[in-house]
Amino acid sequence: MHRRHDIAAATWTAWVAAVSLLATGCLEQPAGDSAPPYAGPTSGPADRPATGTAKKGTDGVQRITVTVDDRQRFFPSHIRARQGPLVITVRNTGGTPHTLTLQGRDERAGSGMDNLNGGRRGSIRLNFTSSGRYPFLCAYHAGAGMEGEILVR
């Protein structure tokens, strides 16, 4: 009889300990970059604006850096640029692979970046000869809303 009582008491103690840990958040896994967990579509954290403008260098090439992570968003997701060459550097600060794939461009000087694994960085060079809106997406996560646009003036 004591054995059943000991097992019941041990089970009860384990259950109380698990509930206590869960309630205090001790079982929560920390994010790799101390970022808060993804809570749905966002315009981006303050340090990662939703809209960015490509800056023209002394060599005449426009440049911008886009960050992707495990929240399945581009930061910035909207890029302003002018006609001419544009280099987009993509930094993947998460662990999930992503792409940056341009859609509907006949004059492609490259259609985007394939499979950028977590912790990696890569660049693509594009040349825009006309004004317009050029949508892009992550081929893996478009269904989750991972898309953006380059606005060329």
Side-chain angles (χ1 to χ4, degrees):
M1 185 74 165
H2 289 297
R3 182 149 171 86
R4 267 193 210 168
H5 178 70
D6 291 343
I7 292 172
T11 302
W12 175 254
T13 302
W15 184 83
V16 169
V19 169
S20 296
L21 286 172
L22 196 57
T24 60
C26 290
L27 294 179
E28 186 175 310
Q29 294 296 316
D33 63 354
S34 300
Y38 177 67
T42 179
S43 61
D47 63 332
R48 298 180 189 166
T51 301
T53 302
K55 305 290 184 210
K56 194 173 194 176
T58 56
D59 58 357
V61 177
Q62 302 169 90
R63 290 181 175 77
I64 191 163
T65 299
V66 173
T67 303
V68 296
D69 58 23
D70 294 336
R71 295 175 225 188
Q72 299 180 358
R73 296 288 181 261
F74 293 101
F75 299 102
S77 58
H78 292 81
I79 299 169
R80 292 186 192 122
R82 300 217 178 261
Q83 292 180 29
L86 170 66
V87 173
I88 301 173
T89 299
V90 182
R91 287 184 17 202
N92 187 345
T93 60
T96 306
H98 296 288
T99 73
L100 190 152
T101 306
L102 272 77
Q103 300 179 292
R105 251 185 102 203
D106 296 331
E107 58 183 280
R108 289 180 238 246
S111 61
M113 177 174 299
D114 294 330
N115 197 48
L116 184 65
N117 287 321
R120 306 288 298 192
R121 168 189 306 246
S123 294
I124 56 174
R125 184 181 176 105
L126 304 163
N127 188 36
F128 293 97
T129 58
S130 59
S131 297
R133 295 179 179 272
Y134 299 91
F136 61 87
L137 55 78
C138 172
Y140 302 135
H141 305 111
M146 191 170 183
E147 51 192 34
E149 180 179 68
I150 302 169
L151 174 62
V152 178
R153 294 181 262 147

